Amino acid sequence: MAFENKFVQLRIEKAELLRQSGINPYCNNSQRNSTIKKYINVNSDIANKENKRDEHRHYTVSGRIKLLRIMGKASFLQLEDESGVLQIYVARDNLPEDFYNDVFKKNIEVGDIIEAGGYPFVTNQGELSLHASEFKLLTKAIAPLPEKFHGITDKETRYRKRYLDLIMNADVRKTFQIRSKVISLTRRFFEDKGFLEVETPMMHPIAGGANAKPFVTHHNALSIDRFLRIAPELYLKRLIVGGFEAVFEINRNFRNEGMDATHNPEFTSIEFYWAYKTYKDLIEITKEYFRYLFEHLDLPTYLPYGDLEIDFNKFSEIPLIKSLHTIGEVPQEIVNDKDKILEFLKSKNISVKNNLSLGQLQGELFDAFVEKKLINPTFITEYPVAISPLARRSDINPEITERFELFIAGREIANAFSELNDPVDQYERFKAQVESKDGGDDEAHAMDEDFIEALSYGMAPTAGQGIGIDRLVMLLTNEHSIRDVLLFPAMKPIHNDELHQEEE
RNA sequence: GUCUUGUUAGCUCAGCUGGUAGAGCACGUCACUUUUAAUGAUGUGGCCGAUGGUUCGAAUCCAUCACAGGACACCA
């Protein structure tokens, strides 16, 4: 039952007492005329004034009481708004008669949202404060806040009740401010380059554009199932067919897979497509994009990430096959021989699925021996065709594609390629995917004939790229769980009956 | 999915080889007009995650389940 907690009960009683004495505990006529940050900036000169005060100035600030120290006839409280923290000095004799004793001391407590008006002064201890002559309760908090010193540290509570986490942990607010800035800067960067922001469907008849298990939903009026999109790729390419030459979309993708420190069922990515360009141009624009982000976020390009240190000035580039030997230390002579790779993997106790092609095995080698070693930003290029169903073949070597993935701190951050625009080749690759799907690979790409038809009308040579925004923000904020960069990460329901109610 | 560690008051945490449930903060009451996690006195507050088992007796031991953290696997 709601409100059964005894502390909540007590505070509800206080709200009732306030009502009875004519004070609305949820009053909304705020008179705020300054944020706390502005107050602190404007009054930074007070320390140098006579008596360390200026009674001619008057400000009204609002916020949540984070700390309260009642000392008889005077009290100090720490007030926090979005912009900062300010100490308020409240004394009995500066307020209307009986207000301090009957209202303030009895019914105001930590967690309440209040408003205080008064003049700036500096205390004996040297802290700029506000000397209150007006005091108003704006919102009574009936639930007590977590402990004032340790705050809230339990990760489960922090994720399930993010509002509490945000109230108690200023650095968490900071992380999400950076996240917001990254998205806003990303949008501006691409707009300034002449890209058009578009919105493509979230509900797809065929889950395409990536290899992943989709979520399924149902459209009642049409009696058909729809898939939450796993990637916007195929729709964005249709727009290139239609004549838009540079498009991007920043939005959510949904994948019905496991959850861990780097995977949430819904995650945010930017995908952009650029006609008359190749993956080589994407390497350049990616470097430029990172420079732009660091400059506008005002971040040093040498960033710590856990035990690692990442130099965002040091971008390097190496073909996948070459990286197997030079970075992964896989013997040079085996990397192009299926049987020798299988033998090698076996000797390293790495088991792989049966019937993998050479390209897939090279991918396995890369995952096992190279990926984790890529700390500074590294473009791995020239992926095998077998693991790149939507990428254009190299004109020089038809077994590899014009593709790169960007790795930072041992993690994939971006995936890009010159797009496959030969409709017949694309059709054949879909067919190969469908065969491996029939062979048991439930994440293989489905046939999308509508997309093939679109390609048939001709898509200009195009390069396209996807960047995982969540993982990028993790890098920039030194966070090691995707849940720490998602305001409301996916959580299992706490109670069993919630979990199974759908089945009944 | 596997392994592993957790789950005790609103919050942060103790609780040893099984023997009446503990502290700090918060909250109540009292004192205190320049404090800084204010201070001093005093008091209230528990389905010990859930269900079974072992035992004279379980927060503690065992099993199962739920949720969470970490690692691994999967997800190119």
Side-chain angles (χ1 to χ4, degrees), chain A residues 93-112:
Chain A
D93 299 339
N94 300 312
L95 293 171
E97 204 179 336
D98 298 333
F99 180 87
Y100 182 81
N101 283 329
D102 296 347
V103 178
F104 180 84
K105 270 170 78 174
K106 287 209 171 79
N107 295 316
I108 300 297
E109 56 206 318
V110 170
D112 291 347

Side-chain angles (χ1 to χ4, degrees), chain A residues 93-352:
Chain A
D93 299 339
N94 300 312
L95 293 171
E97 204 179 336
D98 298 333
F99 180 87
Y100 182 81
N101 283 329
D102 296 347
V103 178
F104 180 84
K105 270 170 78 174
K106 287 209 171 79
N107 295 316
I108 300 297
E109 56 206 318
V110 170
D112 291 347
I113 295 170
I114 62 101
E115 190 160 275
Y119 63 82
F121 79 115
V122 171
T123 65
N124 291 344
Q125 304 298 316
E127 181 167 346
L128 175 63
S129 308
L130 182 139
H131 200 291
S133 52
E134 292 142 22
F135 189 98
K136 183 159 70 181
L137 174 66
L138 291 178
T139 301
K140 183 70 193 165
I142 59 167
L145 285 184
E147 210 250 3
K148 64 185 175 186
F149 186 58
H150 299 94
I152 187 164
T153 58
D154 179 65
K155 286 205 172 196
E156 183 172 358
T157 313
R158 288 186 43 218
Y159 297 146
R160 288 193 195 275
K161 305 184 181 178
R162 181 66 89 182
Y163 50 90
L164 264 186
D165 191 26
L166 292 166
I167 289 171
M168 300 308 294
N169 299 316
D171 53 328
V172 173
R173 295 202 292 270
K174 182 83 191 155
T175 296
F176 288 104
Q177 281 157 355
I178 291 174
R179 182 187 172 106
S180 171
K181 239 174 161 176
V182 167
I183 289 172
S184 154
L185 287 169
T186 301
R187 180 167 278 124
R188 207 167 83 198
F189 177 82
F190 285 98
E191 281 177 347
D192 288 352
K193 292 263 169 212
F195 283 75
L196 184 75
E197 181 170 11
V198 296
E199 293 169 278
T200 63
M202 290 285 181
M203 295 193 286
H204 289 185
I206 296 167
N211 296 13
K213 289 180 207 133
F215 286 93
V216 188
T217 186
H218 188 75
H219 190 294
N220 289 341
L222 297 180
S223 293
I224 47 172
D225 283 342
R226 296 275 97 152
F227 302 99
L228 297 189
R229 75 179 190 189
I230 55 175
E233 172 152 352
L234 301 185
Y235 284 91
L236 293 170
K237 286 189 199 171
R238 283 174 173 94
L239 296 177
I240 300 291
V241 170
F244 289 120
E245 295 177 3
V247 295
F248 75 97
E249 178 164 11
I250 300 174
N251 224 320
R252 227 64 70 79
N253 293 325
F254 306 87
R255 297 192 184 174
N256 207 341
E257 290 163 356
M259 291 153 59
D260 62 26
T262 56
H263 296 82
N264 195 67
E266 49 181 309
F267 63 97
T268 300
S269 70
I270 171 168
E271 284 202 14
F272 61 96
Y273 291 81
W274 206 8
Y276 309 109
K277 301 288 180 184
T278 73
Y279 79 112
K280 294 275 186 196
D281 300 298
L282 295 182
I283 289 178
E284 293 314 310
I285 200 176
T286 301
K287 290 182 191 171
E288 196 181 332
Y289 168 67
F290 272 88
R291 276 199 300 275
Y292 181 88
L293 278 186
F294 275 79
E295 188 186 321
H296 288 85
L297 289 169
D298 206 18
L299 280 174
T301 50
Y302 199 68
L303 272 190
Y305 189 69
D307 299 335
L308 306 172
E309 281 175 344
I310 305 166
D311 189 344
F312 282 90
N313 274 324
K314 280 208 181 120
F315 281 82
S316 59
E317 191 180 323
I318 180 171
L320 186 138
I321 304 294
K322 196 175 166 197
S323 77
L324 295 178
H325 176 61
T326 59
I327 296 172
E329 291 165 3
V330 174
Q332 180 74 53
E333 62 274 15
I334 72 158
V335 298
N336 284 307
D337 186 316
K338 234 178 108 163
D339 295 331
K340 283 181 181 168
I341 293 176
L342 281 170
E343 204 176 303
F344 181 76
L345 286 171
K346 203 173 172 188
S347 76
K348 297 284 182 187
N349 281 324
I350 297 168
S351 60
V352 292

